[in-house]
C-alpha cells in the first residue's frame, strides 16, 4: 500500500517484527503442550507443573504489550498517510517518503527508517522487548528440562 520510497525501508522491518513476534507466540504456545506432556508422562509432578506454568504469564504480558504498541503505531502511520493524502487530494499510494519526513520516526520498528532517520526509542523498546520475551521463553524451557531430568538449576 505504501509508496516504494516508504515501503523499501519500512516493510522489511514490519515483516521481520511480525515474524519474530509470531514465532515467540508459537514457542510460548508449544510450551504448554510440552509441559503437559511431561506431566502426563510422569516426568514432572503436578506441583512442578504449577510452578513452571506460573512463569508463562510474564511472557504473554511482554508479547501482548509489544504487539499492542505496534498495532497502535501502525494505526498512527496509516492515519498520517491518509491525512496527508487527503490534504494533497491524491491516493495514499502516492504519498512519498518526502511527504512524511516530519513523521518518519513513526515508521521505525527495529531501526530508524532510511528515509528520515528519527529516534531510536521505539526500535530499542521493540528490540529489548523481543530479547526479553525470547529469554523468558528459553528460561521456561530450561526450567522444564531441569525439572524433568532432575538436574538442579
Amino acid at each position: 500500500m505504501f509508496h516504494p520510497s516508504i515501503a523499501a525501508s519500512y516493510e522489511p522491518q514490519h515483516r521481520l517484527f511480525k515474524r519474530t513476534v509470531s514465532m515467540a507466540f508459537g514457542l510460548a504456545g508449544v510450551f504448554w503442550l510440552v509441559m503437559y506432556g511431561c506431566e502426563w508422562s510422569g516426568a514432572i509432578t503436578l506441583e512442578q507443573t504449577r510452578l513452571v506454568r506460573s512463569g508463562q504469564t510474564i511472557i504473554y504480558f511482554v508479547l501482548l504489550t509489544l504487539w499492542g504498541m505496534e498495532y497502535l503505531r501502525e494505526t498512527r502511520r496509516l492515519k498520517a498517510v491518509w491525512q496527508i493524502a487527503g490534504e494533497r487530494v491524491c491516493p495514499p499510494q502516492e504519498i512519498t517518503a518526502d511527504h512524511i519526513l516530519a513523521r518518519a520516526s513513526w515508521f521505525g520498528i527495529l531501526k530508524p527508517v532510511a528515509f528520515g532517520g528519527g529516534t531510536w526509542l521505539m526500535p530499542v523498546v521493540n528490540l529489548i522487548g523481543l530479547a526479553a520475551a525470547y529469554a523468558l521463553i528459553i528460561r521456561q524451557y530450561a526450567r522444564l528440562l531441569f525439572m524433568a531430568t532432575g538436574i538442579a538449576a
Side-chain angles (χ1 to χ4, degrees), residues 49-95:
T49 301
R50 287 185 185 136
L51 181 65
V52 174
R53 188 175 58 205
S54 68
Q56 285 294 97
T57 305
I58 189 70
I59 294 170
Y60 290 110
F61 174 76
V62 170
L63 290 173
L64 287 170
T65 300
L66 284 173
W67 177 80
M69 286 181 355
E70 185 53 31
Y71 177 80
L72 291 174
R73 293 185 76 228
E74 181 70 13
T75 303
R76 185 193 304 174
R77 290 179 202 114
L78 292 173
K79 283 182 182 178
V81 170
W82 290 333
Q83 178 186 16
I84 294 169
E87 292 168 1
R88 299 181 67 81
V89 190
C90 67
Q93 307 82 290
E94 293 180 12
I95 301 302

Side-chain angles (χ1 to χ4, degrees), residues 7-28:
S9 180
Y10 165 73
E11 288 181 0
Q13 290 187 63
H14 181 71
R15 276 192 306 275
L16 180 60
F17 182 78
K18 182 179 174 183
R19 188 172 301 130
T20 55
V21 170
S22 295
M23 195 164 68
F25 270 113
L27 288 169

Side-chain angles (χ1 to χ4, degrees), residues 88-108:
R88 299 181 67 81
V89 190
C90 67
Q93 307 82 290
E94 293 180 12
I95 301 302
T96 67
D98 293 334
H99 297 126
I100 61 164
L101 282 179
R103 298 175 180 129
S105 65
W106 295 0
F107 288 78

